[in-house]
Amino acid sequence: FDPRHYLGTHCYSWPKTGPHRLRFLLESVKDLRETLKKKGSTLVVRKGKPEDVVCDLITQLGSVTAVVFHEEVREILQW
């Protein structure tokens, strides 16, 4: 969880994640973890800036050969 996703938006400082969306995200992550556990796997969940957290995880694991990620789209549509 990137703490920056829970701050205000660039425009008008509206919250990016309200209480209902946060509850949905937490319940979804919990459900995913439980599903993976039933299949003999696990889910690593961390809080922090991804650029720091991913680097730390790679160092901890030591045998990482690839990292895949997506970047948040920050385009503002103009009509």
Side-chain angles (χ1 to χ4, degrees), residues 4 21 29 40 69:
R4 295 172 290 194
R21 182 175 182 194
V29 169
F69 64 94

Side-chain angles (χ1 to χ4, degrees), residues 11-65:
C11 300
Y12 309 110
S13 208
W14 290 335
K16 289 183 179 181
T17 304
H20 300 291
R21 182 175 182 194
L22 179 58
R23 184 178 326 116
F24 172 78
L25 289 172
L26 294 173
E27 289 173 357
S28 297
V29 169
K30 180 181 177 184
D31 183 64
L32 177 58
R33 177 178 269 159
E34 291 170 1
T35 300
L36 290 171
K37 188 175 180 180
K38 289 177 186 174
K39 297 182 180 286
S41 190
T42 189
L43 177 66
V44 176
V45 178
R46 297 287 186 267
K47 176 183 172 188
K49 294 180 180 178
E51 55 271 25
D52 299 330
V53 173
V54 172
C55 184
D56 291 344
L57 281 172
I58 291 170
T59 302
Q60 288 174 8
L61 296 171
S63 61
V64 176
T65 57

Side-chain angles (χ1 to χ4, degrees), residues 2 4-5 10 16 70-75:
D2 186 342
R4 295 172 290 194
H5 288 182
H10 300 291
K16 289 183 179 181
H70 78 278
E71 183 176 350
E72 180 181 1
V73 177
R74 295 183 180 215
E75 293 181 27

